[in-house]
């Protein structure tokens, strides 16, 4: 089955630093999604990407859909303490499966920001 | 508040107990999902319901029994669980054409 490798698994950074993380797949996806999970909460969608090469921003977050359609990247600029959490990539293949979506999640990147 | 509400938020149960987790969404979504999230493991899809019909069961042990009475409500009935079933159980919903899933806040389950 499809697997998503997300790296790094965890990172400690100083407040104000930029952060980069990536996700690679053994298969092609038609949609890439990035979620953030705050401690004790469920994941919340940050950015959705629909086309190879697409670059999309959401505030200080920028994500890119890799040209090969097998990878995606997330950058966070000028990190702040509330960026702490787990970031998940997710890939969605073509087709709606009859009205529901089959999404494969990455293993997550745990981000800790040192004030 | 994401639009997907899970109750209870925390649950401690003995291995011989029977309990149920509840999920409710009023987003008009047609599909609902149960995921298990354990420490240091990827999100594990357990069940998928589409228009209240079960469409996926990812080899989940029978001690987990889902129920979907309508497209807005999803339950996970638990009985004779094991300590390794302790995890965060997440409910999500989606609709065709929407971006990804909307997750609830989860139920933190501890089996003692």
């Amino acid at each position: 089955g499809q697997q998503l490798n997300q790296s790094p698994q965890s990172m400690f950074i100083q407040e104000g630093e930029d952060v980069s993380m990536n996700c690679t797949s053994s298969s092609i996806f038609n949609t890439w999604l990035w979620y953030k999970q705050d401690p004790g909460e469920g994941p919340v969608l940050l950015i959705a990407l629909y086309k190879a090469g697409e670059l999309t921003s959401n505030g200080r977050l920028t994500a890119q859909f890799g040209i090969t359609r097998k990878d995606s990247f997330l950058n966070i600029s000028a990190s702040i303490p509330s960026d702490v959490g787990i970031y998940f990539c997710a890939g969605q293949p073509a087709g709606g499966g009859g009205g529901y979506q089959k999404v494969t999640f990455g293993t997550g990147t745990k981000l800790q920001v040192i004030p | 508040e994401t639009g997907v509400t899970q109750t209870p938020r925390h649950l401690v149960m003995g291995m011989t107990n029977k309990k149920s987790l509840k999920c409710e969404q009023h987003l008009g979504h047609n599909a609902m999902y149960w995921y298990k999230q354990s420490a240091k493991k990827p999100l594990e899809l357990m069940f998928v319901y589409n228009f209240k019909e079960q469409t996926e069961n990812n080899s989940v042990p029978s001690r987990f029994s889902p129920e979907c009475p309508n497209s807005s409500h999803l339950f996970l009935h638990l009985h004779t669980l094991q300590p390794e079933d302790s995890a965060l159980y997440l409910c999500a919903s989606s609709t065709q054409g929407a971006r990804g899933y909307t997750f609830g806040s989860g139920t933190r389950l501890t089996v003692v």
Side-chain angles (χ1 to χ4, degrees):
Chain A
Q2 294 171 331
Q3 294 184 2
L4 288 187
N5 297 309
Q6 192 171 343
S7 66
Q9 286 188 342
S10 64
M11 50 198 316
F12 284 83
I13 59 167
Q14 288 286 135
E15 183 177 357
E17 287 184 348
D18 297 344
V19 174
S20 291
M21 59 190 79
N22 67 76
C23 204
T24 57
S25 168
S26 57
S27 305
I28 288 172
F29 287 117
N30 273 26
T31 301
W32 280 96
L33 307 160
W34 284 92
Y35 286 84
K36 182 194 177 196
Q37 185 175 24
D38 289 328
E41 298 293 332
V44 174
L45 183 65
L46 297 174
I47 293 178
L49 303 157
Y50 300 103
K51 205 163 71 170
E54 179 182 351
L55 190 71
T56 297
S57 293
N58 178 3
R60 293 177 295 106
L61 277 62
T62 302
Q64 184 163 23
F65 193 138
I67 293 174
T68 65
R69 295 167 63 194
K70 290 185 176 182
D71 54 8
S72 182
F73 310 88
L74 177 69
N75 295 313
I76 305 173
S77 62
S79 59
I80 59 178
S82 62
D83 290 334
V84 163
I86 303 175
Y87 291 80
F88 290 98
C89 63
Q92 191 174 326
Y100 70 97
Q101 301 168 357
K102 295 190 176 188
V103 174
T104 301
F105 286 89
T107 49
T109 295
K110 186 173 183 178
L111 177 64
Q112 306 213 45
V113 179
I114 304 166
Chain B
E1 179 60 51
T2 65
V4 178
T5 304
Q6 287 188 246
T7 54
R9 290 295 307 272
H10 301 273
L11 178 62
V12 179
M13 60 185 288
M15 289 190 283
T16 58
N17 290 161
K18 287 185 181 181
K19 297 285 183 184
S20 296
L21 310 185
K22 181 182 175 183
C23 178
E24 187 173 351
Q25 60 92 7
H26 295 290
L27 300 169
H29 290 174
N30 54 272
M32 297 187 78
Y33 311 77
W34 279 117
Y35 275 86
K36 177 183 179 183
Q37 186 178 32
S38 306
K40 299 184 180 179
K41 281 189 178 180
L43 285 162
E44 299 174 61
L45 178 64
M46 300 175 72
F47 301 103
V48 181
Y49 278 81
N50 189 29
F51 293 105
K52 74 178 184 177
E53 297 297 321
Q54 188 179 115
T55 51
E56 284 198 38
N57 175 342
N58 273 3
S59 304
V60 180
S62 60
R63 57 186 184 270
F64 295 91
S65 175
E67 180 190 0
C68 189
N70 53 61
S71 294
S72 299
H73 294 85
L74 185 64
F75 296 89
L76 188 62
H77 304 300
L78 316 170
H79 63 98
T80 59
L81 294 192
Q82 305 297 312
E84 59 264 28
D85 296 323
S86 298
L88 181 69
Y89 288 84
L90 289 162
C91 173
S93 69
S94 74
T95 191
Q96 195 162 13
R99 302 184 310 170
Y101 300 161
T102 302
F103 281 92
S105 298
T107 294
R108 173 68 61 186
L109 174 68
T110 304
V111 181
V112 297

